Structures are given as structure tokens and as C-alpha cells.
Amino acid sequence: MKTLLIKDCMILTMVEGEKLFLGDIWIADGRIAKIGPSLEEEADRVILAKNRVAMPGLINAHNHASMSLLRAFSDDLKLMDWLDKKMLPAEARMTREDVYWGTTLGIAEMIASGTTAFADMYVHMDAVAQAVLDSGIRASLTRGMVFLEDDGGRRMAEALDLIDNWTGAGAGRITTMLGPHAPYTCPPEPLQGVIELARKRQIPLHIHLAETIEEGEKIRAKYDQTPTEYLHELGMFHDTHVLLAHAVHLNESDVALLRGMRGGVAHNPVSNLKLGCGIAPVRELIEAGVTVGMGTDGAGSATTLDMFAEIKAATWMQKLKHGDPTVLPAEAALRMATIESAKLLAIDHEVGTLEAGKRADLILIDLDKPHLLPVHDIHALLAYSATGADVDTTIVNGEILMYQRQFQTLHWEEIKREATARASRLVEDL
């Protein structure tokens, strides 16, 4: 049994009602065995964490990690120009190896900025799974499926292969979902088939919803419904766990349809801002009892995978939208990026808070910085001032993935070399 003792840190458990306290965390066999002041347990390794805050690792509830290879390649364009003229042609060139190295680059950025788990939807998902396995991070993986043309069942076969072959891999670090891409790319018959399969096998669903005004117009013209009404009529919210990415353009009736759903919404504020998509009704969803977590979307749109940037954007957008600085306070935004996102990935029984018995997924944040002193309100300090660069140590399943800003499981020079070469080939002449 491997053991790790983190000493003299300020502990922010993110358990509702618990305040910051000075103490120790004893980790054994990948789990938090004890947490509290002045622990005396012996350990194989001891980390002295004075001036560090220990908190749950951030959980990125919606991402396309391999799009890190397309970071800053097509910014400042309208959404359809961004997609049709830049993203899709570059993505069409991606090989399995490109996806592996793009994902590894994305994972490196996430580990370096305090993310310990992420939900990913893409292609060549076995390569994504291998990158997760090699790096030590935690992930919920989904093969994205578009049903606009007959592919002979290839996408569905790949989705089921991912679920059957990778669920539970990496000492339980890999979980899986079914991923119909979006209402406008999934006609009723195949989408209903995916929903029925998810219900029968109790597999969670991961789907984009109402990211743009154009999506709503397409669904309205074809089915005389909103995208949310379309999914609701097909039974998606009945007895299935669903992760809805974006959910920007919801009306009052749409929000009411989501009330009581299993799963919830992954809010992606930076991507929505950069692409001019709009501001999601986060306050309204939360007031309706819908779980709202947080994600980055892919670096092709968001450019950054730093979840601290998302935390700032999420709370500031809601305050601006409602003209009320009390809306979505700092602690609520931090909860969205930790325990609420864990609920979306259906792993909140294992991670998302620091509690004895849970998996040891946590980060240490270095407060010995000019912009992080003094400590009046730790939630406000972390939400409004901290950045991913302030993360000193990242731990997943009790394994140290980064220590004092140095990767422990990844080889940065190799990642840099492979990612640079592959990115150049993907965008040549585009």
C-alpha cells in the first residue's frame, strides 16, 4: 500500500458548509485515508505544504483535448467560418497518432493548471484513452457520433468498442459515455436508438445542446421545436444520465423541461464568449435545480484549457448579464468547477470534494505570490485572482502527476516536439 502525507497545508474541502482550516492529508492506496489537523501517520513520502492551499482537483466537464493542436489557428472568425473553413479541413487530416499527441498536449496543460479529470468527445478515442492511461489523469470518454449520412454503423461500433474495452481502465480512472454529437447532426430515428441503448445499458449520454442561435433555427425549421424540446420528446431526459454541453440558448420552457433531469449542463463560458455564442442561463438553471458544472470546450475555440479562466468568466458573465454582483458568488463558481462537474461525469461518489474515503484527486496552490496575498476570503481569492500557473502540485488517484511545477509522468520535450510538428502539417495551406 503506497502512502503519501501532505503536511501543514490550508485545506479547502469544498464540502458544503466547511471552512478553510490548517491541517494534513494522509493518502493510502489512492484514497484519502485521513484528513484533519496534526496527523501523525507515517508515509512513504511526505510533502511539506506550508503556504499551499489543498483543494479538490478541477474537473473539466466538456473538452475536445486533441484540438490543442489547433490552438490559436482560427481565432476571431464567425462560428461557421471557423468551423467550415478552418476546423473541419484541419481535423479531416488528423490521424490516430495526431489525436494521441494532441490529447497528450491538452492533458499536459490541464495537469499544469490544476485539472485532474475531464470529459472528452472526439474521434480515435482509443488514442485518447491511451493518452489518459499514460499520463495518470482521470477522464470520461465519448466517441462523438454524427448521423447525417450512412456510415454502415462504424461510428456506433467504435463507440461501443470504447465502452466495452476501456471502461474502468487505469485503476478506474477511465469512465465512458455514449456521444450523439448534437440535435442538428442526429435525426430522430438514430438518436432514439442511442437513447434506448443508453437506457438499457445504463450508459450516460454526452451531447452538445443549443450552443448557437443557428442551431435553434435549424431545429425549428425542421421539427418546429427548440433543440431542448426535440431531445425531450425523444425521451433523452427520461431515466438516463445526460451531460449537456453549452445549453446557451434556452428559453423559460426549455429550462423547465430540464428540471429533475439526471446529469445536467456543462457551462463553457470562455468558448461561448470567444465565438460570440451568447451567455447561458446559469442562474435560471441552478434555480430550477439543474446541476451546472463547468468545462473549457476544445482549445481550438477556447484557446486555453485553464479552468481558472473559466471560473472567472462564468461568474463575471452572470453578474454582468443580471446587473447584480451577488449572482454566482465565488464559492458557487468553485463548486461548479469541482463537485458539480463531478456530478456531471457521474463520479461525485469518488471525487469532487476532499473527504476521507474518496479518491485522492487534489491540487496544491502556491499562495506565496503577490496577487494571492493577503487571504481575506479564500473562495474569492481563488475564483477571482488565482490562475492555473499558481498550481504547484497535481495529484490523481494518489499519484503525483506534477510536483513543484515539474511533470512526473509526462515527457515535456517529447510532447513539444511531436505536437509542434504535427500541428504544422495539419494547418499547412489552410
Side-chain angles (χ1 to χ4, degrees):
M1 183 173 68
K2 295 174 63 176
T3 55
L4 172 66
L5 182 62
I6 303 173
K7 292 286 294 181
D8 301 324
C9 56
M10 290 171 274
I11 301 174
L12 185 64
T13 66
M14 294 309 301
V15 174
E16 196 163 7
E18 290 191 4
K19 296 183 178 180
L20 185 75
F21 67 94
L22 185 65
D24 307 331
I25 302 171
W26 187 51
I27 297 166
D29 199 24
R31 294 187 180 272
I32 298 172
K34 292 184 179 181
I35 183 169
S38 304
L39 300 181
E40 299 298 333
E41 273 69 22
E42 295 186 0
D44 299 317
R45 181 169 179 177
V46 177
I47 294 178
L48 301 178
K50 187 177 180 180
N51 293 327
R52 305 291 190 268
V53 170
M55 68 174 290
L58 306 180
I59 299 174
N60 186 338
H62 179 66
N63 194 1
H64 312 286
S66 60
M67 290 180 74
S68 296
L69 295 180
L70 302 175
R71 184 196 320 276
F73 161 59
S74 59
D75 285 337
D76 305 324
L77 295 174
K78 291 184 180 296
L79 178 61
M80 296 316 296
D81 287 340
W82 169 83
L83 185 65
D84 293 337
K85 296 179 180 179
K86 292 288 187 177
M87 282 294 128
L88 291 179
E91 287 182 305
R93 296 176 177 178
M94 275 197 180
T95 65
R96 182 187 183 281
E97 291 72 25
D98 294 330
V99 169
Y100 174 85
W101 286 107
T103 301
T104 303
L105 175 62
I107 289 172
E109 182 184 358
M110 287 189 278
I111 290 172
S113 55
T115 291
T116 54
F118 68 105
D120 201 85
M121 177 193 289
Y122 213 63
V123 298
H124 298 301
M125 291 304 294
D126 59 328
V128 176
Q130 190 62 54
V132 171
L133 205 65
D134 294 345
S135 66
I137 202 168
R138 189 180 304 279
S140 170
L141 304 182
T142 305
R143 202 294 186 198
M145 293 182 288
V146 172
F147 296 111
L148 294 179
E149 73 283 331
D150 184 6
D151 68 349
R154 176 179 57 83
R155 293 184 183 90
M156 179 60 79
E158 290 176 359
L160 293 176
D161 283 346
L162 173 73
I163 291 166
D164 293 338
N165 296 328
W166 287 96
T167 302
R173 288 186 289 109
I174 295 178
T175 55
T176 55
M177 298 189 182
L178 281 168
H181 173 259
Y184 68 97
T185 57
C186 296
E189 186 175 347
L191 181 53
Q192 196 157 39
V194 173
I195 293 169
E196 290 172 359
L197 178 62
R199 186 176 298 125
K200 179 180 179 181
R201 293 186 54 176
Q202 285 299 292
I203 301 169
L205 292 161
H206 184 170
I207 186 170
H208 298 82
L209 173 67
E211 182 178 2
T212 66
I213 291 174
E214 290 83 2
E215 175 186 336
E217 291 173 344
K218 287 181 180 180
I219 297 297
R220 176 66 68 186
K222 200 163 189 178
Y223 305 108
D224 195 27
Q225 295 174 309
T226 68
T228 307
E229 289 169 341
Y230 174 74
L231 297 184
H232 182 267
E233 186 172 283
L234 291 175
M236 180 165 281
F237 308 126
H238 174 65
D239 198 29
T240 54
H241 180 105
V242 186
L243 193 169
L244 298 169
H246 300 292
V248 175
H249 297 283
L250 306 183
N251 60 33
E252 188 175 329
S253 175
D254 292 332
V255 172
L257 289 176
L258 300 182
R259 191 187 302 270
M261 70 174 293
R262 288 169 50 190
V265 169
H267 180 40
N268 301 267
V270 172
S271 177
N272 295 158
L273 277 170
K274 283 186 75 259
L275 290 173
C277 294
I279 302 176
V282 170
R283 185 179 76 171
E284 293 84 350
L285 286 163
I286 293 173
E287 289 177 347
V290 178
T291 298
V292 182
M294 198 175 295
T296 61
D297 211 354
S301 60
T303 308
T304 177
L305 301 182
D306 183 349
M307 284 286 288
F308 282 100
E310 303 292 338
I311 291 167
K312 292 177 182 60
T315 180
W316 292 343
M317 286 166 69
Q318 293 302 308
K319 295 176 191 304
L320 178 63
K321 176 183 178 182
H322 296 284
D324 183 353
T326 69
V327 173
L328 199 64
E331 183 176 359
L334 290 173
R335 286 182 61 82
M336 284 172 62
T338 52
I339 184 60
E340 302 304 310
S341 282
K343 293 174 184 177
L344 297 186
L345 272 62
I347 56 174
D348 52 300
H349 61 294
E350 293 277 42
V351 299
T353 56
L354 301 186
E355 299 178 76
K358 280 198 168 183
R359 292 286 178 182
D361 287 19
L362 60 101
I363 57 177
L364 300 179
I365 299 171
D366 181 5
L367 293 190
D368 195 13
K369 306 280 185 69
H371 63 287
L372 295 178
L373 290 172
V375 182
H376 293 302
D377 181 327
I378 190 62
H379 297 108
L381 192 68
L382 295 175
Y384 302 141
S385 192
T387 74
D390 298 319
V391 177
D392 174 85
T393 297
T394 301
I395 298 170
V396 176
N397 243 23
E399 296 290 332
I400 300 172
L401 307 189
M402 182 179 73
Y403 177 65
Q404 294 183 344
R405 302 295 302 166
Q406 299 298 309
F407 293 123
Q408 304 296 297
T409 58
L410 297 174
H411 304 286
W412 173 239
E413 292 302 321
E414 183 182 20
I415 295 169
K416 185 165 59 174
R417 182 176 64 252
E418 290 284 352
T420 300
R422 292 173 184 277
S424 295
R425 177 180 56 79
L426 291 177
V427 305
E428 188 176 5
D429 300 325
L430 290 181

